[in-house]
Coordinates of all heavy atoms in Angstrom, one line a residue:
N86 N -96.6 -29.3 97.3 CA -97.1 -30.6 96.8 C -96.2 -31.8 97.3 O -96.3 -32.8 96.6 CB -97.2 -30.6 95.3 CG -98.4 -30.0 94.8 OD1 -99.5 -30.3 95.2 ND2 -98.3 -29.0 93.9
L87 N -95.5 -31.6 98.3 CA -94.6 -32.7 98.7 C -95.4 -34.0 99.1 O -96.4 -33.9 99.8 CB -93.7 -32.3 99.9 CG -92.7 -31.2 99.5 CD1 -91.9 -30.9 100.8 CD2 -91.8 -31.7 98.5
K88 N -95.0 -35.1 98.7 CA -95.6 -36.4 99.0 C -95.8 -36.7 100.5 O -96.7 -37.3 100.9 CB -94.8 -37.5 98.3 CG -95.3 -38.9 98.6 CD -96.3 -39.2 97.5 CE -96.7 -40.7 97.6 NZ -98.0 -40.9 98.1
P89 N -94.8 -36.3 101.4 CA -95.0 -36.6 102.8 C -96.3 -36.1 103.4 O -96.6 -36.7 104.5 CB -93.8 -35.9 103.4 CG -92.8 -35.8 102.4 CD -93.6 -35.6 101.1
H90 N -97.0 -35.2 102.8 CA -98.2 -34.7 103.4 C -99.3 -35.7 103.4 O -100.2 -35.7 104.2 CB -98.7 -33.4 102.8 CG -97.7 -32.3 102.8 ND1 -96.8 -32.1 103.8 CD2 -97.4 -31.3 101.9 CE1 -96.0 -31.1 103.6 NE2 -96.4 -30.6 102.4
A91 N -99.3 -36.6 102.4 CA -100.5 -37.4 102.0 C -101.1 -38.1 103.2 O -102.3 -38.0 103.4 CB -100.1 -38.3 100.9
D92 N -100.4 -39.0 103.8 CA -101.0 -39.8 104.9 C -100.4 -39.5 106.3 O -100.5 -40.3 107.2 CB -100.7 -41.3 104.6 CG -101.2 -41.7 103.2 OD1 -102.3 -41.3 102.9 OD2 -100.5 -42.4 102.5
A93 N -99.9 -38.3 106.5 CA -99.2 -38.0 107.7 C -100.1 -38.1 108.9 O -99.7 -38.6 110.0 CB -98.7 -36.6 107.6
L94 N -101.4 -37.6 108.8 CA -102.3 -37.7 110.0 C -102.6 -39.1 110.4 O -102.6 -39.4 111.6 CB -103.6 -36.9 109.7 CG -103.4 -35.4 109.6 CD1 -104.7 -34.8 109.0 CD2 -103.1 -34.8 110.9
Y95 N -102.7 -40.0 109.4 CA -103.0 -41.4 109.8 C -101.8 -42.1 110.3 O -101.9 -43.1 111.0 CB -103.6 -42.1 108.5 CG -105.0 -41.8 108.3 CD1 -105.3 -40.8 107.3 CD2 -106.0 -42.3 109.0 CE1 -106.6 -40.5 107.1 CE2 -107.3 -42.0 108.8 CZ -107.7 -41.1 107.8 OH -109.0 -40.7 107.6
E96 N -100.6 -41.6 109.9 CA -99.4 -42.2 110.4 C -99.1 -41.8 111.9 O -98.6 -42.5 112.7 CB -98.2 -41.8 109.6 CG -96.9 -42.4 109.9 CD -95.8 -42.1 109.0 OE1 -96.0 -42.0 107.8 OE2 -94.6 -41.9 109.4
A97 N -99.5 -40.5 112.2 CA -99.2 -40.0 113.5 C -100.3 -40.3 114.6 O -100.0 -40.4 115.7 CB -99.0 -38.5 113.4
F98 N -101.5 -40.4 114.1 CA -102.6 -40.5 115.1 C -103.5 -41.8 114.8 O -103.5 -42.3 113.7 CB -103.5 -39.3 115.1 CG -102.7 -38.0 115.3 CD1 -102.6 -37.1 114.2 CD2 -102.0 -37.8 116.5 CE1 -101.8 -36.0 114.4 CE2 -101.3 -36.6 116.6 CZ -101.1 -35.7 115.6
D99 N -104.3 -42.1 115.8 CA -105.3 -43.2 115.5 C -106.3 -42.8 114.5 O -106.4 -41.6 114.2 CB -106.0 -43.6 116.8 CG -106.9 -42.4 117.4 OD1 -108.0 -42.3 116.9 OD2 -106.3 -41.6 118.1
P100 N -106.9 -43.7 113.8 CA -107.8 -43.4 112.7 C -108.9 -42.4 113.0 O -109.2 -41.5 112.2 CB -108.4 -44.7 112.2 CG -107.4 -45.7 112.7 CD -106.8 -45.2 113.9
V101 N -109.5 -42.5 114.2 CA -110.6 -41.5 114.5 C -110.1 -40.1 114.7 O -110.7 -39.2 114.1 CB -111.3 -42.0 115.9 CG1 -112.3 -41.0 116.3 CG2 -111.9 -43.4 115.7
T102 N -108.9 -39.9 115.3 CA -108.3 -38.6 115.5 C -107.9 -38.1 114.1 O -108.2 -36.9 113.8 CB -107.1 -38.7 116.4 OG1 -107.6 -39.2 117.7 CG2 -106.5 -37.3 116.6
A103 N -107.3 -38.9 113.3 CA -106.8 -38.5 112.0 C -108.0 -38.0 111.1 O -107.9 -37.0 110.5 CB -106.0 -39.6 111.3
R104 N -109.0 -38.8 111.1 CA -110.2 -38.4 110.3 C -110.8 -37.1 110.8 O -111.2 -36.3 110.0 CB -111.2 -39.6 110.3 CG -112.4 -39.3 109.4 CD -112.0 -39.4 108.0 NE -113.0 -39.0 107.1 CZ -112.8 -38.5 105.9 NH1 -111.7 -38.4 105.4 NH2 -113.9 -38.1 105.2
R105 N -111.0 -37.0 112.1 CA -111.5 -35.8 112.7 C -110.7 -34.5 112.3 O -111.2 -33.5 111.9 CB -111.6 -35.9 114.2 CG -112.1 -34.7 114.9 CD -112.2 -34.8 116.4 NE -111.0 -35.4 117.0 CZ -109.9 -34.7 117.3 NH1 -109.9 -33.4 117.0 NH2 -108.9 -35.2 117.9
L106 N -109.4 -34.7 112.4 CA -108.5 -33.5 112.0 C -108.6 -33.3 110.5 O -108.7 -32.1 110.0 CB -107.1 -33.8 112.4 CG -106.8 -33.8 113.8 CD1 -105.4 -34.4 114.1 CD2 -106.9 -32.4 114.4
L107 N -108.6 -34.4 109.7 CA -108.6 -34.2 108.2 C -109.9 -33.5 107.8 O -109.8 -32.7 106.8 CB -108.5 -35.6 107.6 CG -108.2 -35.7 106.1 CD1 -106.9 -35.0 105.9 CD2 -108.1 -37.2 105.7
E108 N -111.0 -33.7 108.4 CA -112.2 -33.1 108.0 C -112.2 -31.6 108.3 O -113.0 -30.8 107.8 CB -113.4 -33.8 108.7 CG -113.7 -35.1 108.2 CD -114.8 -35.9 108.9 OE1 -115.1 -35.5 110.0 OE2 -115.2 -36.9 108.4
R109 N -111.3 -31.1 109.2 CA -111.2 -29.7 109.5 C -110.4 -28.9 108.5 O -110.5 -27.7 108.5 CB -110.5 -29.5 110.9 CG -111.2 -30.2 112.1 CD -112.2 -29.3 112.7 NE -111.8 -27.9 112.9 CZ -111.0 -27.5 113.9 NH1 -110.5 -28.3 114.8 NH2 -110.8 -26.2 114.1
F110 N -109.7 -29.6 107.6 CA -108.8 -28.9 106.7 C -109.4 -28.9 105.3 O -110.0 -29.9 104.8 CB -107.4 -29.5 106.7 CG -106.7 -29.2 107.9 CD1 -106.6 -30.1 109.0 CD2 -106.0 -28.0 108.1 CE1 -105.9 -29.8 110.1 CE2 -105.3 -27.7 109.2 CZ -105.3 -28.6 110.3
E111 N -109.1 -27.8 104.6 CA -109.4 -27.8 103.1 C -108.0 -27.5 102.5 O -107.4 -26.4 102.7 CB -110.3 -26.6 102.8 CG -110.6 -26.4 101.3 CD -111.5 -25.2 101.1 OE1 -112.5 -25.1 101.8 OE2 -111.2 -24.5 100.2
F112 N -107.5 -28.5 101.8 CA -106.1 -28.4 101.3 C -106.1 -27.8 99.9 O -106.9 -28.2 99.0 CB -105.5 -29.8 101.3 CG -105.3 -30.4 102.6 CD1 -106.2 -31.2 103.2 CD2 -104.1 -30.1 103.3 CE1 -106.0 -31.8 104.4 CE2 -103.9 -30.7 104.6 CZ -104.8 -31.5 105.1

Side-chain angles (χ1 to χ4, degrees):
N86 279 310
L87 292 179
K88 179 90 171 106
H90 302 326
D92 303 319
L94 290 169
Y95 285 99
E96 185 175 322
F98 307 113
D99 64 88
V101 173
T102 302
R104 184 71 187 155
R105 178 178 48 79
L106 289 169
L107 197 55
E108 289 175 347
R109 298 272 315 281
F110 288 97
E111 179 182 316
F112 293 94

